[in-house]
Amino acid sequence: MVAPFLLLSLLLFALGAIIGSFLNVVIYRTVKGESWVAGRSKCESCHRQLRWFENIPLVSYILLQGRCRSCQKTISMTHPVLEFLTGALFVWWLWGSSLFFRITIHPFQYVQPLFWLCVGILLLIIFFADLLYFIIPDEVVLSLAGLTLLYRLALVLSGVMQTRDFLLTLAGTAMVTTFFFSLWYFTKGKGMGFGDVKFAVPFGLLLGWPNVLVGLLLAFIFGGIFGIGLVLSRKKTLSQAVPFGPFLVVSTFVTLVLGSSIWAWYMALM
């Protein structure tokens, strides 16, 4: 059974890398206000249309040594990184199906893994869009919030999630959204971008209560460490902005896996 499982993992990684290549297009064209489906892929520097062999996920980047075949300009490392991470997400999804996805009530044994796969893809889009362009696309935030809210409601209606827990999740979401909005409002956008305020909604819905507190704290810790590192290395000054969305995304992933353990450890200290 090992060989077929490894082969399936390899095929899913390849599928994920292909989707990651498409996500690069989605992010770039969304920011530029272009259609996702109209037109072929092109070099972002010289705008020459790419041939099929220049557009193979991961492989083309390696063969071209990270440069455009025509203009020789460097291809952004974010392209192969996003392709690799999406491929890894699909493999994690396969391996995690037996470790993390525990709801066996029909149809959640199928819905739950698919839901978290979609969440992972949307979070990757938010991470790279904000990292590269300081923009968190409204369409992605709305999709993530709507998908998560529907999933939580389905859990409540099926009896998997208690109504009290759902109401606490809504309260936690309102709290973190209000906190982010206050930072944005009172600092006039200098302490927090409005995209982060909007992202607070799916952030809270995904993590629930009390894990949203853990996620919030981790995001500020990660962001603070990274920001101090940039200042000390003289790559940024204290007056320059650093996108906060990527730290929210990373803290979301970490909290989904370790949030309950971190909260239990903290409560034990109290």
Side-chain angles (χ1 to χ4, degrees), residues 217-239:
L217 178 61
L218 289 179
F220 278 102
I221 291 175
F222 295 153
I225 293 173
F226 186 78
I228 292 171
L230 289 177
V231 172
L232 292 178
S233 62
R234 298 183 179 180
K235 293 182 179 180
K236 289 276 188 180
T237 65
L238 289 174
S239 60

Side-chain angles (χ1 to χ4, degrees), residues 51-71:
R51 303 286 298 277
W52 68 268
F53 54 83
E54 298 174 284
N55 213 21
I56 305 174
L58 293 174
V59 176
S60 293
Y61 184 88
I62 296 172
L63 294 179
L64 294 171
Q65 298 181 341
R67 293 183 178 275
C68 173
R69 197 164 58 95
S70 297
C71 67

